[in-house]
Amino acid sequence: RKVVAELQRAGFAFEYVHANNSGAVLLHPETAFNTVRPGLLVYGVVVFLFLSTQIPEGQNPIQVIEEDLRRSFAAALEEAGGTSKEVPLLEEAVQRLVPLMAKLAPGGVLSSLLIISWLNLLILRRYRRLQRSPSVLWDEWSRWKAPEHLVWGVIASGFVLLFPTGPALKTVSLNVLVVLGTVYLLQGMAVLGFYFDRWTVPRFLRAVLYGLVLLQQNATLLAVFMGLFDMWFDFRRISPKSNSTA
């Protein structure tokens, strides 16, 4: 507040002043000016409002999502298919797919948030370089690695899926694998970025290849496994062990 007051006395005028992110909005509301930046908080509020308005009290949220998906797919098939002979086959496939989609909805939401955050950080990093301004962001994101202990989440979730366990625990494990798969997808993208830098791949070609990884299923899985196995094989040779033995 002192800085803002000094700037205003120096002749600077600000229509909007903000210093609060989601955490500060919740924990330190007294520090708010006339604007706040509740990114994650707004996201959570939107989900909460949806759940509170669309899901009756005491009803399973997964079942509500599943019913909504069935209605949406049924309406889409009716509009697009008409009396086509393929419609019954598509409806049968949807009936098998919808329950899995509903169960994976929480993991899908978190994974989408991770991807969006990652893209925002890359854009901000690029903007910071163009403006030549200091930043606390990592200078070489291509050297980023996920915390090593996350691999135990992958191993534990895999064991839960392989051995007889309750359906609720299997659903949790599937969602954990979706989220951790996204984390290792980002690590796989970092490995690609490392070699793109080493081989001085043109920016346009990099954008095409990154898009291919995000949009093509086999390329996405390859990047996920590349990020996962980078924990052991250290494809970029950036771990202390690799550096010490080089």
Side-chain angles (χ1 to χ4, degrees):
R1 292 183 183 276
K2 291 182 179 179
V3 173
V4 173
E6 290 291 337
L7 291 173
Q8 288 174 338
R9 281 195 292 269
F12 294 94
F14 305 101
E15 183 177 1
Y16 301 106
V17 180
H18 60 81
N20 287 35
N21 59 6
S22 297
V25 169
L26 293 174
L27 301 177
H28 304 287
E30 71 282 357
T31 62
F33 291 92
N34 61 355
T35 310
V36 294
R37 297 175 285 107
L40 293 178
L41 180 61
V42 168
Y43 189 84
V45 167
V46 170
V47 175
F48 172 77
L49 290 176
F50 169 78
L51 294 176
S52 61
T53 56
Q54 301 296 323
I55 299 179
E57 185 177 356
Q59 192 167 350
N60 189 335
I62 299 298
Q63 292 180 350
V64 174
I65 295 174
E66 184 175 335
E67 292 172 2
D68 286 342
L69 287 173
R70 291 185 189 278
R71 287 194 294 267
S72 299
F73 278 118
L77 289 174
E78 182 178 357
E79 181 178 351
T83 57
S84 172
K85 295 181 180 180
E86 297 180 354
V87 170
L89 296 176
L90 292 173
E91 289 179 345
E92 183 181 352
V94 166
Q95 294 300 320
R96 295 195 302 266
L97 183 62
V98 164
L100 178 62
M101 294 177 61
K103 291 178 181 179
L104 295 181
V109 170
L110 290 176
S111 296
S112 300
L113 183 59
L114 285 174
I115 294 290
I116 292 171
S117 301
W118 174 71
L119 291 173
N120 286 337
L121 286 173
L122 290 183
I123 294 171
L124 183 59
R125 175 175 171 267
R126 177 63 178 165
Y127 175 80
R128 191 268 301 177
R129 282 188 172 182
L130 292 175
Q131 297 296 320
R132 297 181 179 179
S133 59
S135 173
V136 296
L137 295 176
W138 71 95
D139 288 328
E140 297 185 30
W141 83 271
S142 59
R143 303 180 71 86
W144 175 80
K145 295 187 70 171
E148 294 187 1
H149 61 266
L150 290 182
V151 73
W152 291 107
V154 177
I155 296 172
S157 299
F159 273 110
V160 170
L161 296 177
L162 288 175
F163 293 98
T165 54
L169 191 56
K170 286 186 179 294
T171 299
V172 172
S173 298
L174 282 171
N175 282 278
V176 170
L177 285 178
V178 169
V179 175
L180 293 180
T182 304
V183 172
Y184 288 114
L185 169 63
L186 298 181
Q187 182 162 330
M189 299 279 277
V191 173
L192 289 176
F194 178 85
Y195 285 101
F196 288 167
D197 290 340
R198 173 174 290 187
W199 298 331
T200 61
V201 176
R203 292 187 182 279
F204 174 76
L205 183 56
R206 293 188 191 201
V208 171
L209 293 174
Y210 283 142
L212 179 66
V213 169
L214 292 175
L215 299 176
Q216 213 284 331
Q217 181 180 3
N218 293 332
T220 301
L221 289 175
L222 180 61
V224 170
F225 283 112
M226 185 186 300
L228 177 61
F229 286 103
D230 184 49
M231 306 299 295
W232 293 284
F233 294 101
D234 193 19
F235 297 122
R236 296 163 288 181
R237 298 294 185 268
I238 59 176
S239 70
K241 290 183 179 179
S242 296
N243 293 334
S244 63
T245 57

